[in-house]
Amino acid sequence: MFGFLKKKSPKPEDVAPAVAEPTAEVGVPAPAAIDPAAAAAAVPAVEVAQPAAEAVAEVVPAKGEPAAVAETVVAPAPRLSWGERLKAGLARTRQQIGGGLANLFGLRKIDEDLLEELESTLLMADCGVDATQYLIDDLRMRWKRDRLETADQLQKALADGLHGIIAPLEQALELGSHQPFIIMIAGVNGSGKTTSIGKLAKYFQAQGKSVLLAAGDTFRAAAREQLMTWGERNNVTVVAQEGGDAAAVIFDAINAARARKIDVVLADTAGRLPTQLHLMEEIAKVRRVIAKADPSGPHEVLLVLDANIGQNALAQVKAFDKAIGVTGLVVTKLDGTAKGGVLAAIARQCPKPLRFIGVGEGIDDLQPFRAREFVDALFEPGAGAVKAGAEARR
Protein backbone atom coordinates (compact mmCIF):
# COMPACT_ATOMS: atom_id res chain seq x y z
CA MET A 1 0.00 0.00 0.00
CA PHE A 2 2.86 2.29 0.70
CA GLY A 3 4.09 1.50 -2.77
CA PHE A 4 0.72 2.53 -4.08
CA LEU A 5 0.90 5.84 -2.22
CA LYS A 6 4.35 6.44 -3.64
CA LYS A 7 3.02 5.99 -7.10
CA LYS A 8 0.31 8.51 -6.47
CA SER A 9 2.62 11.08 -4.97
CA PRO A 10 4.29 11.96 -8.27
CA LYS A 11 0.88 12.58 -9.85
CA PRO A 12 0.13 15.62 -7.72
CA GLU A 13 3.40 16.95 -9.01
CA ASP A 14 2.13 16.40 -12.49
CA VAL A 15 -1.09 18.15 -11.55
CA ALA A 16 0.85 21.05 -10.13
CA PRO A 17 1.80 22.36 -13.57
CA ALA A 18 -1.86 22.12 -14.50
CA VAL A 19 -2.65 24.29 -11.47
CA ALA A 20 0.17 26.57 -12.42
CA GLU A 21 -1.70 27.43 -15.60
CA PRO A 22 -4.50 29.22 -13.76
CA THR A 23 -1.85 31.05 -11.80
CA ALA A 24 -0.35 32.13 -15.08
CA GLU A 25 -3.76 33.41 -16.10
CA VAL A 26 -4.18 35.12 -12.72
CA GLY A 27 -0.65 36.46 -12.84
CA VAL A 28 -1.48 38.25 -16.02
CA PRO A 29 -4.34 40.53 -15.05
CA ALA A 30 -2.57 43.63 -16.33
CA PRO A 31 -1.44 42.06 -19.59
CA ALA A 32 -4.84 40.39 -19.92
CA ALA A 33 -5.29 42.08 -23.30
CA ILE A 34 -1.84 40.90 -24.31
CA ASP A 35 -2.50 37.33 -23.28
CA PRO A 36 -5.39 36.70 -25.73
CA ALA A 37 -3.58 38.64 -28.45
CA ALA A 38 -0.44 36.69 -27.83
CA ALA A 39 -2.45 33.49 -27.83
CA ALA A 40 -4.19 34.51 -31.03
CA ALA A 41 -0.88 35.41 -32.60
CA ALA A 42 0.67 32.23 -31.37
CA VAL A 43 -2.03 29.99 -32.81
CA PRO A 44 -1.73 31.14 -36.42
CA ALA A 45 2.01 31.11 -36.05
CA VAL A 46 1.86 27.46 -35.13
CA GLU A 47 -0.62 26.73 -37.96
CA VAL A 48 1.53 28.46 -40.53
CA ALA A 49 4.69 26.90 -39.21
CA GLN A 50 3.28 23.39 -39.56
CA PRO A 51 2.37 23.65 -43.25
CA ALA A 52 5.67 25.34 -43.90
CA ALA A 53 7.46 22.46 -42.24
CA GLU A 54 5.34 19.99 -44.14
CA ALA A 55 5.99 21.78 -47.41
CA VAL A 56 9.72 21.67 -46.74
CA ALA A 57 9.46 18.03 -45.79
CA GLU A 58 7.75 17.32 -49.09
CA VAL A 59 9.88 19.51 -51.30
CA VAL A 60 13.29 18.66 -49.88
CA PRO A 61 13.13 14.96 -50.78
CA ALA A 62 11.85 15.91 -54.24
CA LYS A 63 14.88 18.15 -54.73
CA GLY A 64 17.13 15.50 -53.30
CA GLU A 65 15.88 12.92 -55.77
CA PRO A 66 17.91 12.24 -58.91
CA ALA A 67 17.17 14.12 -62.13
CA ALA A 68 14.67 11.40 -63.09
CA VAL A 69 12.14 12.84 -60.61
CA ALA A 70 12.35 16.22 -62.30
CA GLU A 71 11.72 14.47 -65.59
CA THR A 72 8.54 12.82 -64.25
CA VAL A 73 7.25 16.23 -63.23
CA VAL A 74 7.97 17.70 -66.65
CA ALA A 75 6.86 14.58 -68.56
CA PRO A 76 3.11 15.40 -68.60
CA ALA A 77 3.85 18.75 -70.27
CA PRO A 78 4.69 17.35 -73.72
CA ARG A 79 1.44 16.02 -75.15
CA LEU A 80 1.41 12.55 -76.64
CA SER A 81 1.05 12.42 -80.39
CA TRP A 82 -2.28 11.43 -81.88
CA GLY A 83 -0.81 8.11 -83.03
CA GLU A 84 0.30 7.29 -79.48
CA ARG A 85 -3.08 8.28 -78.03
CA LEU A 86 -4.87 6.26 -80.70
CA LYS A 87 -2.78 3.20 -79.94
CA ALA A 88 -3.43 3.57 -76.21
CA GLY A 89 -7.13 4.11 -76.82
CA LEU A 90 -7.46 0.96 -78.93
CA ALA A 91 -5.61 -1.22 -76.42
CA ARG A 92 -8.67 -3.24 -75.44
CA THR A 93 -9.73 -3.95 -79.02
CA ARG A 94 -6.11 -4.71 -79.95
CA GLN A 95 -5.92 -7.20 -77.10
CA GLN A 96 -9.14 -8.80 -78.29
CA ILE A 97 -8.04 -9.19 -81.92
CA GLY A 98 -4.25 -9.10 -82.00
CA GLY A 99 -3.81 -10.87 -78.67
CA GLY A 100 -6.30 -13.54 -79.64
CA LEU A 101 -4.41 -14.09 -82.87
CA ALA A 102 -1.12 -14.55 -81.00
CA ASN A 103 -2.69 -17.04 -78.59
CA LEU A 104 -4.29 -19.02 -81.38
CA PHE A 105 -1.06 -19.26 -83.33
CA GLY A 106 0.84 -20.24 -80.21
CA LEU A 107 -1.18 -23.43 -80.02
CA ARG A 108 -0.66 -24.75 -83.54
CA LYS A 109 0.12 -23.91 -87.13
CA ILE A 110 -2.28 -22.15 -89.46
CA ASP A 111 -5.10 -24.46 -90.50
CA GLU A 112 -8.87 -24.46 -90.99
CA ASP A 113 -9.52 -24.97 -87.27
CA LEU A 114 -7.44 -21.90 -86.45
CA LEU A 115 -9.36 -19.84 -89.00
CA GLU A 116 -12.62 -20.93 -87.38
CA GLU A 117 -11.40 -19.80 -83.97
CA LEU A 118 -10.18 -16.55 -85.46
CA GLU A 119 -13.67 -16.07 -86.86
CA SER A 120 -15.04 -16.26 -83.31
CA THR A 121 -12.45 -13.73 -82.17
CA LEU A 122 -13.53 -11.24 -84.85
CA LEU A 123 -17.20 -11.73 -83.98
CA MET A 124 -16.45 -11.02 -80.31
CA ALA A 125 -14.80 -7.76 -81.41
CA ASP A 126 -18.14 -6.85 -83.05
CA CYS A 127 -16.87 -6.94 -86.61
CA GLY A 128 -20.25 -8.32 -87.60
CA VAL A 129 -21.12 -11.45 -89.54
CA ASP A 130 -20.75 -9.86 -92.97
CA ALA A 131 -17.34 -8.27 -92.33
CA THR A 132 -16.06 -11.31 -90.44
CA GLN A 133 -16.99 -13.67 -93.27
CA TYR A 134 -15.30 -11.36 -95.76
CA LEU A 135 -12.10 -11.22 -93.68
CA ILE A 136 -11.97 -14.99 -93.13
CA ASP A 137 -12.51 -15.72 -96.82
CA ASP A 138 -9.79 -13.21 -97.67
CA LEU A 139 -7.40 -14.81 -95.14
CA ARG A 140 -8.12 -18.27 -96.48
CA MET A 141 -7.35 -17.12 -100.02
CA ARG A 142 -4.12 -15.40 -98.93
CA TRP A 143 -3.10 -18.41 -96.82
CA LYS A 144 -3.33 -20.79 -99.76
CA ARG A 145 -2.07 -18.37 -102.40
CA ASP A 146 0.86 -16.91 -100.44
CA ARG A 147 1.52 -20.01 -98.30
CA LEU A 148 1.33 -18.19 -95.00
CA GLU A 149 3.03 -19.98 -92.11
CA THR A 150 3.92 -17.49 -89.36
CA ALA A 151 1.79 -15.35 -87.08
CA ASP A 152 3.38 -12.21 -88.48
CA GLN A 153 2.26 -13.16 -91.97
CA LEU A 154 -1.25 -14.00 -90.79
CA GLN A 155 -1.51 -10.77 -88.81
CA LYS A 156 -0.34 -8.69 -91.76
CA ALA A 157 -2.85 -10.40 -94.03
CA LEU A 158 -5.63 -9.69 -91.54
CA ALA A 159 -4.55 -6.06 -91.19
CA ASP A 160 -4.50 -5.60 -94.96
CA GLY A 161 -7.95 -7.12 -95.25
CA LEU A 162 -9.37 -4.90 -92.52
CA HIS A 163 -7.81 -1.82 -94.11
CA GLY A 164 -9.41 -2.73 -97.40
CA ILE A 165 -12.83 -2.78 -95.71
CA ILE A 166 -12.66 0.48 -93.75
CA ALA A 167 -10.58 2.57 -96.19
CA PRO A 168 -13.69 3.82 -98.06
CA LEU A 169 -14.95 5.39 -94.80
CA GLU A 170 -12.02 7.81 -94.78
CA GLN A 171 -13.45 11.00 -96.26
CA ALA A 172 -12.35 14.38 -94.88
CA LEU A 173 -14.97 16.99 -94.02
CA GLU A 174 -14.57 20.03 -96.26
CA LEU A 175 -15.84 23.34 -94.86
CA GLY A 176 -15.10 25.80 -97.65
CA SER A 177 -18.33 25.46 -99.60
CA HIS A 178 -20.64 27.70 -97.50
CA GLN A 179 -20.55 30.42 -94.85
CA PRO A 180 -21.82 29.69 -92.34
CA PHE A 181 -21.24 25.97 -92.74
CA ILE A 182 -24.11 24.41 -90.79
CA ILE A 183 -23.44 21.08 -89.11
CA MET A 184 -26.45 19.37 -87.54
CA ILE A 185 -25.43 16.84 -84.89
CA ALA A 186 -27.67 14.01 -83.72
CA GLY A 187 -27.40 10.92 -81.53
CA VAL A 188 -28.98 9.05 -78.66
CA ASN A 189 -28.55 10.17 -75.06
CA GLY A 190 -25.23 9.03 -73.62
CA SER A 191 -23.44 8.72 -76.94
CA GLY A 192 -21.15 11.67 -76.16
CA LYS A 193 -22.94 14.03 -78.54
CA THR A 194 -22.66 17.28 -76.55
CA THR A 195 -19.08 16.53 -75.52
CA SER A 196 -18.18 15.84 -79.15
CA ILE A 197 -19.61 19.24 -80.10
CA GLY A 198 -17.25 20.93 -77.66
CA LYS A 199 -14.29 18.99 -79.05
CA LEU A 200 -15.29 19.75 -82.64
CA ALA A 201 -15.45 23.45 -81.78
CA LYS A 202 -11.87 23.24 -80.52
CA TYR A 203 -10.80 21.32 -83.64
CA PHE A 204 -12.31 23.87 -86.05
CA GLN A 205 -10.84 26.76 -84.07
CA ALA A 206 -7.41 25.19 -84.44
CA GLN A 207 -7.98 25.37 -88.21
CA GLY A 208 -8.59 29.10 -87.96
CA LYS A 209 -12.37 28.91 -88.23
CA SER A 210 -14.83 30.95 -86.17
CA VAL A 211 -17.47 28.79 -84.49
CA LEU A 212 -20.94 29.34 -83.03
CA LEU A 213 -22.84 26.75 -80.98
CA ALA A 214 -26.62 26.31 -81.02
CA ALA A 215 -28.03 24.68 -77.87
CA GLY A 216 -30.83 22.81 -79.59
CA ASP A 217 -31.06 20.03 -76.99
CA THR A 218 -33.92 21.55 -75.00
CA PHE A 219 -35.19 18.14 -73.92
CA ARG A 220 -32.41 16.85 -71.66
CA ALA A 221 -31.85 18.49 -68.30
CA ALA A 222 -28.60 20.46 -68.02
CA ALA A 223 -27.78 20.00 -71.72
CA ARG A 224 -27.87 23.76 -72.26
CA GLU A 225 -25.57 24.37 -69.29
CA GLN A 226 -23.18 21.68 -70.48
CA LEU A 227 -22.90 23.24 -73.92
CA MET A 228 -22.45 26.72 -72.41
CA THR A 229 -19.60 25.35 -70.31
CA TRP A 230 -17.92 24.09 -73.48
CA GLY A 231 -18.51 27.49 -75.06
CA GLU A 232 -16.78 29.26 -72.17
CA ARG A 233 -13.90 26.80 -72.28
CA ASN A 234 -13.35 27.39 -76.01
CA ASN A 235 -14.31 31.08 -75.94
CA VAL A 236 -17.17 30.38 -78.38
CA THR A 237 -20.57 32.07 -78.51
CA VAL A 238 -23.52 29.86 -77.56
CA VAL A 239 -27.07 30.68 -78.67
CA ALA A 240 -29.52 29.19 -76.18
CA GLN A 241 -33.02 29.68 -74.81
CA GLU A 242 -34.36 28.40 -71.52
CA GLY A 243 -37.11 25.94 -72.33
CA GLY A 244 -37.46 27.17 -75.91
CA ASP A 245 -38.27 25.23 -79.02
CA ALA A 246 -35.21 23.44 -80.43
CA ALA A 247 -35.94 24.42 -84.02
CA ALA A 248 -36.38 28.08 -83.03
CA VAL A 249 -33.06 28.10 -81.16
CA ILE A 250 -31.19 26.75 -84.16
CA PHE A 251 -33.01 29.11 -86.52
CA ASP A 252 -31.89 32.11 -84.43
CA ALA A 253 -28.35 30.74 -84.24
CA ILE A 254 -28.07 30.50 -88.02
CA ASN A 255 -29.27 34.09 -88.46
CA ALA A 256 -26.84 35.28 -85.79
CA ALA A 257 -23.97 33.42 -87.48
CA ARG A 258 -24.83 34.96 -90.83
CA ALA A 259 -24.88 38.47 -89.32
CA ARG A 260 -21.53 37.93 -87.57
CA LYS A 261 -19.94 36.16 -90.56
CA ILE A 262 -19.25 33.02 -88.54
CA ASP A 263 -17.60 30.16 -90.42
CA VAL A 264 -19.13 27.11 -88.69
CA VAL A 265 -22.41 26.55 -86.82
CA LEU A 266 -22.58 23.40 -84.67
CA ALA A 267 -26.25 22.69 -83.96
CA ASP A 268 -26.94 20.36 -81.05
CA THR A 269 -30.19 18.38 -81.05
CA ALA A 270 -32.06 16.41 -78.40
CA GLY A 271 -31.02 12.80 -77.94
CA ARG A 272 -33.46 10.39 -79.58
CA LEU A 273 -33.95 6.66 -79.49
CA PRO A 274 -34.46 5.36 -83.02
CA THR A 275 -37.44 3.32 -81.81
CA GLN A 276 -39.36 6.45 -80.71
CA LEU A 277 -40.89 7.45 -84.01
CA HIS A 278 -42.65 10.60 -82.73
CA LEU A 279 -39.35 11.91 -81.36
CA MET A 280 -37.59 11.07 -84.61
CA GLU A 281 -40.22 13.15 -86.37
CA GLU A 282 -39.32 16.12 -84.13
CA ILE A 283 -35.67 15.94 -85.13
CA ALA A 284 -36.76 15.72 -88.78
CA LYS A 285 -38.65 18.97 -88.16
CA VAL A 286 -35.42 20.60 -86.94
CA ARG A 287 -33.76 19.65 -90.21
CA ARG A 288 -36.60 21.25 -92.18
CA VAL A 289 -36.32 24.46 -90.15
CA ILE A 290 -32.58 24.62 -90.85
CA ALA A 291 -33.40 24.38 -94.56
CA LYS A 292 -35.76 27.35 -94.16
CA ALA A 293 -33.07 29.43 -92.47
CA ASP A 294 -30.58 28.46 -95.18
CA PRO A 295 -31.93 26.72 -98.29
CA SER A 296 -28.59 24.99 -98.82
CA GLY A 297 -28.40 23.68 -95.26
CA PRO A 298 -27.71 21.68 -93.32
CA HIS A 299 -24.41 21.16 -95.07
CA GLU A 300 -23.46 18.20 -92.90
CA VAL A 301 -25.56 15.89 -90.70
CA LEU A 302 -23.34 14.07 -88.23
CA LEU A 303 -24.52 11.09 -86.21
CA VAL A 304 -22.57 10.44 -83.00
CA LEU A 305 -22.24 6.74 -82.13
CA ASP A 306 -21.00 5.17 -78.91
CA ALA A 307 -18.59 2.35 -79.84
CA ASN A 308 -19.66 0.40 -76.73
CA ILE A 309 -23.07 -0.40 -78.22
CA GLY A 310 -21.54 -2.66 -80.85
CA GLN A 311 -23.97 -3.95 -83.47
CA ASN A 312 -26.74 -1.61 -82.23
CA ALA A 313 -24.81 1.15 -84.00
CA LEU A 314 -26.00 -0.27 -87.31
CA ALA A 315 -29.66 0.07 -86.31
CA GLN A 316 -29.05 3.67 -85.21
CA VAL A 317 -27.37 4.61 -88.49
CA LYS A 318 -30.26 3.18 -90.50
CA ALA A 319 -32.97 4.85 -88.36
CA PHE A 320 -31.36 8.31 -88.25
CA ASP A 321 -30.45 8.15 -91.91
CA LYS A 322 -34.09 7.52 -92.76
CA ALA A 323 -35.26 10.45 -90.62
CA ILE A 324 -32.67 13.17 -91.28
CA GLY A 325 -30.34 11.91 -94.02
CA VAL A 326 -27.05 11.22 -92.23
CA THR A 327 -24.01 12.36 -94.22
CA GLY A 328 -21.22 11.52 -91.75
CA LEU A 329 -20.43 9.62 -88.56
CA VAL A 330 -18.57 10.33 -85.34
CA VAL A 331 -17.62 7.23 -83.32
CA THR A 332 -16.73 7.96 -79.69
CA LYS A 333 -15.45 6.01 -76.67
CA LEU A 334 -13.31 3.59 -78.64
CA ASP A 335 -10.94 3.61 -75.65
CA GLY A 336 -13.59 2.12 -73.37
CA THR A 337 -14.49 -0.95 -75.38
CA ALA A 338 -13.03 -4.08 -76.94
CA LYS A 339 -15.58 -3.76 -79.76
CA GLY A 340 -13.69 -1.44 -82.08
CA GLY A 341 -14.37 -3.92 -84.86
CA VAL A 342 -17.77 -2.26 -85.23
CA LEU A 343 -16.14 0.04 -87.79
CA ALA A 344 -15.78 -2.95 -90.10
CA ALA A 345 -19.47 -3.78 -89.62
CA ILE A 346 -20.44 -0.19 -90.44
CA ALA A 347 -18.26 -0.20 -93.54
CA ARG A 348 -19.89 -3.38 -94.85
CA GLN A 349 -23.53 -2.61 -94.03
CA CYS A 350 -23.89 1.18 -93.61
CA PRO A 351 -20.97 2.75 -95.48
CA LYS A 352 -21.32 6.34 -94.30
CA PRO A 353 -18.21 8.56 -94.23
CA LEU A 354 -16.54 8.31 -90.83
CA ARG A 355 -15.51 11.91 -90.16
CA PHE A 356 -14.08 11.66 -86.63
CA ILE A 357 -13.22 9.08 -83.98
CA GLY A 358 -12.73 9.63 -80.25
CA VAL A 359 -10.37 7.63 -78.04
CA GLY A 360 -10.32 9.56 -74.76
CA GLU A 361 -11.66 12.31 -72.53
CA GLY A 362 -9.17 14.98 -73.58
CA ILE A 363 -10.31 17.89 -75.71
CA ASP A 364 -7.86 16.82 -78.44
CA ASP A 365 -8.86 13.15 -78.35
CA LEU A 366 -11.37 13.56 -81.19
CA GLN A 367 -9.60 13.60 -84.55
CA PRO A 368 -10.36 12.90 -88.23
CA PHE A 369 -10.52 9.21 -89.08
CA ARG A 370 -7.59 7.81 -91.03
CA ALA A 371 -7.90 4.15 -91.95
CA ARG A 372 -4.18 3.34 -92.08
CA GLU A 373 -3.52 4.96 -88.69
CA PHE A 374 -6.43 3.02 -87.20
CA VAL A 375 -5.24 -0.33 -88.53
CA ASP A 376 -1.62 0.31 -87.54
CA ALA A 377 -2.73 1.19 -83.99
CA LEU A 378 -4.97 -1.86 -83.83
CA PHE A 379 -2.27 -4.40 -84.67
CA GLU A 380 0.97 -4.47 -82.74
CA PRO A 381 4.12 -5.97 -84.28
CA GLY A 382 3.83 -9.70 -84.15
CA ALA A 383 6.89 -10.28 -81.96
CA GLY A 384 4.70 -11.74 -79.24
CA ALA A 385 2.98 -14.04 -81.68
CA VAL A 386 6.29 -15.20 -83.13
CA LYS A 387 7.61 -15.93 -79.64
CA ALA A 388 4.45 -17.84 -78.76
CA GLY A 389 4.66 -19.82 -81.95
CA ALA A 390 8.33 -20.63 -81.41
CA GLU A 391 7.60 -21.89 -77.91
CA ALA A 392 4.73 -24.01 -79.22
CA ARG A 393 7.00 -25.68 -81.77
CA ARG A 394 9.63 -26.65 -79.21
Side-chain angles (χ1 to χ4, degrees):
M1 292 185 59
F2 286 102
F4 176 76
L5 293 175
K6 286 180 183 179
K7 288 180 182 178
K8 274 193 171 183
S9 58
K11 284 189 178 179
E13 296 174 1
D14 295 338
V15 176
V19 180
E21 289 180 338
T23 57
E25 294 176 1
V26 176
V28 192
I34 301 174
D35 192 8
V43 172
V46 173
E47 293 176 355
V48 172
Q50 286 177 352
E54 291 174 0
V56 171
E58 294 174 0
V59 173
V60 168
K63 290 183 178 178
E65 291 279 338
V69 175
E71 292 178 2
T72 56
V73 176
V74 180
R79 182 95 172 137
L80 293 177
S81 68
W82 166 244
E84 293 170 330
R85 281 178 282 150
L86 180 62
K87 185 175 180 180
L90 294 176
R92 295 179 66 178
T93 302
R94 181 171 59 250
Q95 183 179 5
Q96 177 72 34
I97 297 180
L101 180 63
N103 294 333
L104 289 175
F105 185 81
L107 298 176
R108 55 186 177 275
K109 293 183 178 181
I110 302 175
D111 55 18
E112 287 291 341
D113 291 337
L114 183 141
L115 291 179
E116 288 184 7
E117 295 195 31
L118 179 57
E119 181 178 358
S120 300
T121 300
L122 294 174
L123 289 173
M124 290 178 63
D126 260 340
C127 289
V129 176
D130 191 354
T132 297
Q133 190 61 51
Y134 175 87
L135 288 172
I136 293 299
D137 290 344
D138 182 66
L139 278 179
R140 184 177 289 108
M141 182 270 295
R142 291 171 184 259
W143 166 47
K144 294 180 178 180
R145 183 192 65 188
D146 302 332
R147 298 181 180 180
L148 305 181
E149 294 182 356
T150 68
D152 284 342
Q153 293 172 341
L154 184 64
Q155 181 167 294
K156 184 179 184 305
L158 180 59
D160 291 342
L162 180 60
H163 179 265
I165 291 179
I166 65 176
L169 300 181
E170 182 183 337
Q171 299 181 34
L173 180 59
E174 301 293 339
L175 301 179
S177 56
H178 299 85
Q179 186 185 30
F181 190 89
I182 305 168
I183 302 177
M184 179 181 177
I185 301 175
V188 303
N189 287 329
S191 62
K193 173 171 55 68
T194 305
T195 301
S196 296
I197 291 175
K199 294 180 179 180
L200 286 173
K202 179 69 174 179
Y203 172 78
F204 291 134
Q205 280 184 318
Q207 292 186 325
K209 304 293 184 181
S210 56
V211 182
L212 184 141
L213 306 182
D217 188 354
T218 58
F219 185 78
R220 181 172 64 90
R224 182 174 64 94
E225 289 75 9
Q226 182 182 359
L227 196 64
M228 292 179 70
T229 300
W230 277 106
E232 293 174 1
R233 188 179 302 179
N234 295 327
N235 195 23
V236 171
T237 302
V238 178
V239 175
Q241 293 179 6
E242 193 166 353
D245 179 67
V249 172
I250 296 175
F251 185 87
D252 293 343
I254 294 172
N255 290 331
R258 186 182 295 111
R260 301 178 187 182
K261 299 188 183 302
I262 299 293
D263 296 321
V264 181
V265 174
L266 297 175
D268 191 10
T269 59
R272 305 296 187 201
L273 290 176
T275 55
Q276 299 172 326
L277 299 180
H278 63 292
L279 295 180
M280 294 296 286
E281 176 56 31
E282 288 185 14
I283 199 172
K285 173 192 169 184
V286 172
R287 193 189 197 287
R288 292 193 297 269
V289 170
I290 292 176
K292 289 182 180 179
D294 187 337
S296 64
H299 308 112
E300 182 77 7
V301 180
L302 290 179
L303 176 62
V304 180
L305 298 171
D306 181 352
N308 290 280
I309 63 176
Q311 293 298 299
N312 288 334
L314 300 175
Q316 291 186 18
V317 174
K318 293 175 182 178
F320 278 94
D321 187 35
K322 182 179 179 181
I324 57 177
V326 174
T327 59
L329 303 176
V330 177
V331 177
T332 64
K333 306 180 184 180
L334 280 166
D335 57 314
T337 180
K339 300 180 178 181
V342 70
L343 298 189
I346 292 173
R348 291 292 296 178
Q349 299 186 40
C350 305
K352 296 288 183 182
L354 181 53
R355 306 297 193 186
F356 298 90
I357 59 173
V359 292
E361 296 294 332
I363 196 168
D364 297 323
D365 289 335
L366 186 73
Q367 294 289 328
F369 172 69
R370 299 179 183 89
R372 176 51 64 186
E373 285 183 354
F374 182 85
V375 172
D376 289 346
L378 195 59
F379 291 93
E380 285 184 328
V386 172
K387 182 179 179 181
E391 292 177 353
R393 289 191 295 269
R394 285 178 183 173

